[in-house]
Amino acid sequence: MNVLYYIVHPDLNRSFANKSILDALPNHPNLKIVDLYDTYPNFSINGPVERECLDWADAVFFQHPFYWYSIPALLKQWFEIVLEFGYAYGKSANALAGKRWQHIISTGGNINTYLGGSANPYDIEEYFRPLQSTCKLCRCEWQPPLVNFNAKQASAEELEAFNKKVVNTIAQLIGEPLATTDK
């Protein structure tokens, strides 16, 4: 299976949690990693090139921080340019049908702040509905996001455990041996 993995962080080098996931991913011919902010620093996304990448992939991952209950601006721009009518959605559009779609998300708040009625008014799954709707419109297969809560304050052990979860998910898809889960 071919996996397309987008990292979407405007300041990746200052995000230890997000950078450490990338460092843990295997180097494999069936895994293509694209840093969107590095590739498109001026937000001029090349739709045909991105659609060619999507055509190659069987699974698409989007790793990003949870900004204002949503995605970074460049990923929104990517959606608007790449997921065009007639390709990603529309009566006869099947280019993305059946492809796996999953987000890897880091939050500033801990899990308790994303339980409805706490610091944030809704459960975190409610905030994912626009992404899930976009996935469904494109006829992709939604997979629940892997969320690294309180990422900035996480201990080295917590980050390692989360990174192994991400790596194992990717490794299973590309047919690589799994990362060790024992400490």
Side-chain angles (χ1 to χ4, degrees):
M1 179 177 275
N2 291 330
V3 174
L4 180 57
Y5 194 97
Y6 285 106
I7 173 70
V8 194
H9 196 297
D11 198 1
L12 183 61
N13 289 325
R14 291 184 48 167
S15 174
F16 182 73
N18 279 279
K19 184 101 173 56
S20 69
I21 296 170
L22 281 186
D23 293 343
L25 290 174
N27 183 8
H28 193 279
N30 294 87
L31 174 62
K32 180 175 184 170
I33 300 171
V34 178
D35 180 339
L36 277 186
Y37 275 95
D38 187 52
T39 305
Y40 302 111
N42 60 3
F43 281 57
S44 294
I45 293 170
N46 188 328
V49 166
E50 294 304 317
R51 284 187 287 279
E52 193 173 297
C53 290
L54 286 172
D55 290 343
W56 170 84
D58 302 299
V60 182
F61 286 78
F62 303 98
Q63 179 192 326
H64 57 86
F66 199 49
Y67 281 171
W68 292 104
Y69 306 108
S70 188
I71 57 179
L74 184 57
L75 185 53
K76 178 75 166 68
Q77 175 80 351
W78 185 93
F79 283 4
E80 292 178 12
I81 299 297
V82 178
L83 303 179
E84 67 179 9
F85 179 80
Y87 173 77
Y89 69 98
K91 195 171 185 174
S92 60
N94 289 314
L96 303 179
K99 295 181 188 275
R100 179 187 178 119
W101 175 307
Q102 190 165 18
H103 290 259
I104 310 297
I105 297 173
S106 58
T107 71
N110 65 44
I111 193 168
N112 293 327
T113 63
Y114 287 100
L115 302 174
S118 58
N120 298 300
Y122 306 106
D123 290 349
I124 196 157
E125 289 81 15
E126 295 296 319
Y127 296 108
F128 298 151
R129 291 209 183 269
L131 299 173
Q132 192 171 7
S133 297
T134 302
C135 173
K136 184 176 180 181
L137 182 67
C138 296
R139 299 184 178 120
C140 290
E141 293 181 12
W142 174 261
Q143 297 294 317
L146 298 176
V147 182
N148 188 5
F149 291 100
N150 203 24
K152 198 170 187 175
Q153 306 302 322
S155 68
E157 292 79 19
E158 291 168 328
L159 284 178
E160 185 178 345
F162 182 80
N163 292 352
K164 282 182 181 174
K165 191 182 320 180
V166 174
V167 169
N168 285 342
T169 299
I170 301 294
Q172 286 179 328
L173 295 173
I174 61 175
E176 277 289 298
L178 300 180
T180 305
T181 54
D182 300 323
K183 286 218 63 153

